[in-house]
Amino acid sequence: MRTTVPGRAPRAFPGVRALAAGALAVTLGAGCSAGSTSGQATPSPDDTSPVAACTKLISYWAEQTLTGGKWAGLDWEQKGLSNQQYEIMDLIIKNARAEQKRHGLPSAKKLIDRQAKQRCTEENGATWSSENWRPPT
């Protein structure tokens, strides 16, 4: 029998709610246009567009992988990534490791953020299907 404090839900892993929200935003926004009518050049902190969700997910998980974060070993589905996002993240991690060797961790983290934003923008959120998953090459 599972016990919890009355009126409270069981606690999830740290950060899972935020990641689940990001994954939901990607899923719900997959069929929507990425165009903005506000004319803003940068996304607002509460931007839930497919591009913003993709950028946040990839930046977070690439940095966790690079730094050996506690949850870095989760698989692509547990991280809330699509096949396309996983492939982008895998390439960015390879690039970031090379950058870290040459210029250190702060430079590698900047590269991760820059490339995640660029690639997610180019791929409009990179939300294509995860039905036929395969490991990146």
Side-chain angles (χ1 to χ4, degrees):
M1 183 171 157
R2 187 171 162 174
T3 60
T4 60
V5 177
R8 292 186 116 183
R11 295 184 55 85
F13 293 115
V16 170
R17 286 186 184 166
L19 293 172
L24 178 61
V26 169
T27 303
L28 294 176
C32 300
S33 169
S36 172
T37 57
S38 66
Q40 291 179 327
T42 58
S44 65
D46 60 345
D47 187 352
T48 58
S49 70
V51 171
C54 172
T55 301
K56 289 175 190 175
L57 282 168
I58 290 175
S59 290
Y60 177 81
W61 286 116
E63 184 175 323
Q64 289 296 303
T65 301
L66 188 67
T67 61
K70 184 176 181 178
W71 304 109
L74 297 176
D75 71 23
W76 64 279
E77 283 183 307
Q78 292 168 317
K79 292 176 180 176
L81 300 171
S82 70
N83 280 342
Q84 193 176 15
Q85 290 165 346
Y86 184 70
E87 289 176 1
I88 291 169
M89 186 186 78
D90 189 56
L91 177 63
I92 289 173
I93 290 168
K94 288 176 186 174
N95 295 341
R97 285 185 175 139
E99 181 72 11
Q100 183 179 17
K101 286 179 184 176
R102 287 190 305 267
H103 302 289
L105 184 59
S107 182
K109 288 180 178 182
K110 288 178 184 176
L111 178 136
I112 288 170
D113 291 341
R114 184 176 63 250
Q115 288 189 358
K117 183 176 182 179
Q118 176 188 355
R119 291 297 308 277
C120 288
T121 300
E122 290 170 357
E123 301 296 330
N124 194 27
T127 58
W128 57 265
S129 174
S130 297
E131 286 181 31
N132 299 313
W133 182 86
R134 69 201 180 309
T137 54

